[in-house]
Short mmCIF file of all heavy atoms in Angstrom, two decimals:
data_model
loop_
_atom_site.label_atom_id
_atom_site.label_comp_id
_atom_site.label_asym_id
_atom_site.label_seq_id
_atom_site.Cartn_x
_atom_site.Cartn_y
_atom_site.Cartn_z
N TRP E 17 146.51 -295.19 -59.10
CA TRP E 17 146.27 -295.55 -60.52
C TRP E 17 147.61 -295.60 -61.24
O TRP E 17 148.16 -294.58 -61.63
CB TRP E 17 145.34 -294.51 -61.15
CG TRP E 17 144.97 -294.81 -62.57
CD1 TRP E 17 144.97 -296.02 -63.18
CD2 TRP E 17 144.55 -293.86 -63.56
NE1 TRP E 17 144.57 -295.90 -64.49
CE2 TRP E 17 144.30 -294.58 -64.75
CE3 TRP E 17 144.34 -292.49 -63.55
CZ2 TRP E 17 143.87 -293.96 -65.91
CZ3 TRP E 17 143.91 -291.88 -64.71
CH2 TRP E 17 143.68 -292.61 -65.88
N ALA E 27 162.76 -298.39 -77.12
CA ALA E 27 163.58 -297.34 -77.74
C ALA E 27 164.12 -297.79 -79.10
O ALA E 27 164.08 -297.03 -80.08
CB ALA E 27 164.74 -296.96 -76.81
N PRO E 45 151.56 -276.76 -109.97
CA PRO E 45 150.65 -276.31 -111.02
C PRO E 45 150.53 -274.79 -110.97
O PRO E 45 150.99 -274.15 -110.06
CB PRO E 45 149.33 -276.94 -110.61
CG PRO E 45 149.40 -276.97 -109.13
CD PRO E 45 150.86 -277.22 -108.80
N THR E 58 134.17 -276.98 -105.55
CA THR E 58 132.89 -276.52 -105.02
C THR E 58 131.74 -277.14 -105.82
O THR E 58 130.75 -277.59 -105.26
CB THR E 58 132.82 -274.99 -105.08
OG1 THR E 58 133.97 -274.48 -104.42
CG2 THR E 58 131.57 -274.48 -104.41
N ALA E 71 131.52 -289.91 -93.44
CA ALA E 71 131.99 -289.38 -92.18
C ALA E 71 133.29 -290.05 -91.75
O ALA E 71 133.96 -289.59 -90.86
CB ALA E 71 130.93 -289.59 -91.11
N PHE E 144 143.61 -275.39 -100.50
CA PHE E 144 145.04 -275.58 -100.33
C PHE E 144 145.43 -276.97 -100.81
O PHE E 144 144.58 -277.80 -101.11
CB PHE E 144 145.45 -275.39 -98.87
CG PHE E 144 144.88 -276.41 -97.94
CD1 PHE E 144 145.66 -277.44 -97.44
CD2 PHE E 144 143.55 -276.35 -97.56
CE1 PHE E 144 145.13 -278.38 -96.58
CE2 PHE E 144 143.00 -277.30 -96.71
CZ PHE E 144 143.80 -278.30 -96.21
N LYS E 153 163.69 -294.63 -102.64
CA LYS E 153 163.41 -296.06 -102.51
C LYS E 153 164.50 -296.79 -101.71
O LYS E 153 164.21 -297.67 -100.91
CB LYS E 153 163.29 -296.66 -103.92
CG LYS E 153 162.62 -298.01 -103.95
CD LYS E 153 161.15 -297.88 -103.60
CE LYS E 153 160.50 -299.25 -103.50
NZ LYS E 153 159.17 -299.18 -102.95
N ALA E 165 154.34 -296.42 -96.06
CA ALA E 165 153.46 -295.27 -96.25
C ALA E 165 153.71 -294.19 -95.21
O ALA E 165 153.38 -293.05 -95.43
CB ALA E 165 152.00 -295.72 -96.19
N ALA E 169 159.84 -287.51 -96.33
CA ALA E 169 160.96 -286.62 -96.12
C ALA E 169 160.49 -285.21 -95.81
O ALA E 169 161.27 -284.39 -95.37
CB ALA E 169 161.83 -286.62 -97.37
N ILE E 171 156.90 -282.15 -96.31
CA ILE E 171 155.66 -281.83 -97.02
C ILE E 171 155.78 -280.44 -97.62
O ILE E 171 156.61 -279.64 -97.21
CB ILE E 171 154.42 -281.90 -96.11
CG1 ILE E 171 154.49 -280.84 -95.00
CG2 ILE E 171 154.24 -283.28 -95.53
CD1 ILE E 171 153.16 -280.68 -94.25
N GLY E 178 142.07 -268.20 -98.61
CA GLY E 178 141.95 -268.26 -97.16
C GLY E 178 143.29 -268.40 -96.48
O GLY E 178 144.30 -267.88 -96.95
N ALA E 201 161.51 -282.94 -92.86
CA ALA E 201 161.31 -283.94 -91.81
C ALA E 201 161.91 -283.46 -90.50
O ALA E 201 161.52 -283.92 -89.43
CB ALA E 201 161.96 -285.25 -92.23
N VAL E 207 159.05 -270.71 -95.99
CA VAL E 207 157.86 -270.12 -96.63
C VAL E 207 158.31 -269.24 -97.79
O VAL E 207 159.19 -268.40 -97.63
CB VAL E 207 157.04 -269.29 -95.63
CG1 VAL E 207 155.80 -268.71 -96.31
CG2 VAL E 207 156.64 -270.13 -94.44
N GLY E 211 153.21 -267.19 -105.79
CA GLY E 211 152.71 -266.31 -106.83
C GLY E 211 151.37 -265.72 -106.45
O GLY E 211 150.84 -265.98 -105.39
N VAL E 252 136.33 -281.31 -114.79
CA VAL E 252 135.10 -280.91 -114.11
C VAL E 252 133.89 -281.41 -114.90
O VAL E 252 132.95 -281.99 -114.34
CB VAL E 252 135.04 -279.38 -113.95
CG1 VAL E 252 133.68 -278.94 -113.43
CG2 VAL E 252 136.14 -278.91 -113.01
N TYR E 274 127.94 -300.96 -98.28
CA TYR E 274 128.11 -302.41 -98.43
C TYR E 274 127.02 -303.09 -99.24
O TYR E 274 127.08 -304.28 -99.47
CB TYR E 274 128.25 -303.09 -97.06
CG TYR E 274 127.01 -303.07 -96.20
CD1 TYR E 274 126.10 -304.12 -96.23
CD2 TYR E 274 126.77 -302.01 -95.34
CE1 TYR E 274 124.98 -304.10 -95.42
CE2 TYR E 274 125.66 -301.98 -94.54
CZ TYR E 274 124.76 -303.05 -94.58
OH TYR E 274 123.66 -303.02 -93.79
N LEU E 281 126.88 -299.88 -108.83
CA LEU E 281 128.00 -300.81 -109.01
C LEU E 281 128.54 -300.75 -110.45
O LEU E 281 129.74 -300.84 -110.67
CB LEU E 281 127.56 -302.24 -108.67
CG LEU E 281 127.41 -302.53 -107.17
CD1 LEU E 281 126.77 -303.90 -106.95
CD2 LEU E 281 128.75 -302.47 -106.47
N TRP E 284 130.54 -297.66 -110.77
CA TRP E 284 131.81 -297.85 -110.06
C TRP E 284 132.77 -298.74 -110.86
O TRP E 284 133.98 -298.56 -110.81
CB TRP E 284 131.58 -298.47 -108.69
CG TRP E 284 130.99 -297.51 -107.69
CD1 TRP E 284 130.76 -296.17 -107.88
CD2 TRP E 284 130.58 -297.81 -106.37
NE1 TRP E 284 130.21 -295.62 -106.75
CE2 TRP E 284 130.09 -296.59 -105.80
CE3 TRP E 284 130.55 -298.95 -105.59
CZ2 TRP E 284 129.61 -296.52 -104.51
CZ3 TRP E 284 130.07 -298.88 -104.29
CH2 TRP E 284 129.59 -297.68 -103.76
N CYS E 288 136.69 -298.32 -111.61
CA CYS E 288 137.47 -299.25 -110.76
C CYS E 288 137.35 -298.81 -109.30
O CYS E 288 138.33 -298.64 -108.58
CB CYS E 288 138.92 -299.32 -111.17
SG CYS E 288 139.15 -299.71 -112.91
N ALA E 324 131.16 -313.20 -81.75
CA ALA E 324 131.15 -313.04 -83.20
C ALA E 324 132.33 -312.19 -83.67
O ALA E 324 133.05 -312.55 -84.61
CB ALA E 324 129.83 -312.39 -83.63
N THR E 330 140.04 -313.05 -84.92
CA THR E 330 141.07 -314.09 -84.80
C THR E 330 141.44 -314.63 -86.18
O THR E 330 142.62 -314.79 -86.51
CB THR E 330 140.55 -315.24 -83.91
OG1 THR E 330 140.18 -314.69 -82.66
CG2 THR E 330 141.60 -316.32 -83.71
N ASP E 391 139.19 -320.12 -107.03
CA ASP E 391 140.37 -320.59 -106.29
C ASP E 391 141.38 -319.45 -106.19
O ASP E 391 141.85 -318.93 -107.21
CB ASP E 391 140.97 -321.78 -107.05
CG ASP E 391 142.24 -322.28 -106.39
OD1 ASP E 391 142.46 -321.93 -105.20
OD2 ASP E 391 143.00 -323.00 -107.05
N LEU E 392 141.73 -319.08 -104.97
CA LEU E 392 142.67 -317.98 -104.78
C LEU E 392 144.06 -318.48 -104.36
O LEU E 392 144.92 -317.68 -103.99
CB LEU E 392 142.15 -317.02 -103.71
CG LEU E 392 140.98 -316.13 -104.10
CD1 LEU E 392 140.45 -315.38 -102.89
CD2 LEU E 392 141.38 -315.14 -105.19
N ALA E 395 146.80 -316.78 -106.04
CA ALA E 395 146.79 -315.30 -106.01
C ALA E 395 147.90 -314.79 -105.11
O ALA E 395 148.38 -315.49 -104.22
CB ALA E 395 145.44 -314.81 -105.51
N SER E 407 135.83 -308.07 -97.40
CA SER E 407 134.68 -308.89 -97.01
C SER E 407 134.51 -308.96 -95.49
O SER E 407 133.61 -309.64 -95.00
CB SER E 407 134.85 -310.31 -97.58
OG SER E 407 135.84 -311.01 -96.85
#
Side-chain angles (χ1 to χ4, degrees):
Chain E
W17 183 23
T58 306
F144 65 104
K153 197 68 185 170
I171 64 169
V207 181
V252 172
Y274 67 93
L281 285 171
W284 286 355
C288 306
T330 303
D391 177 17
L392 287 172
S407 74

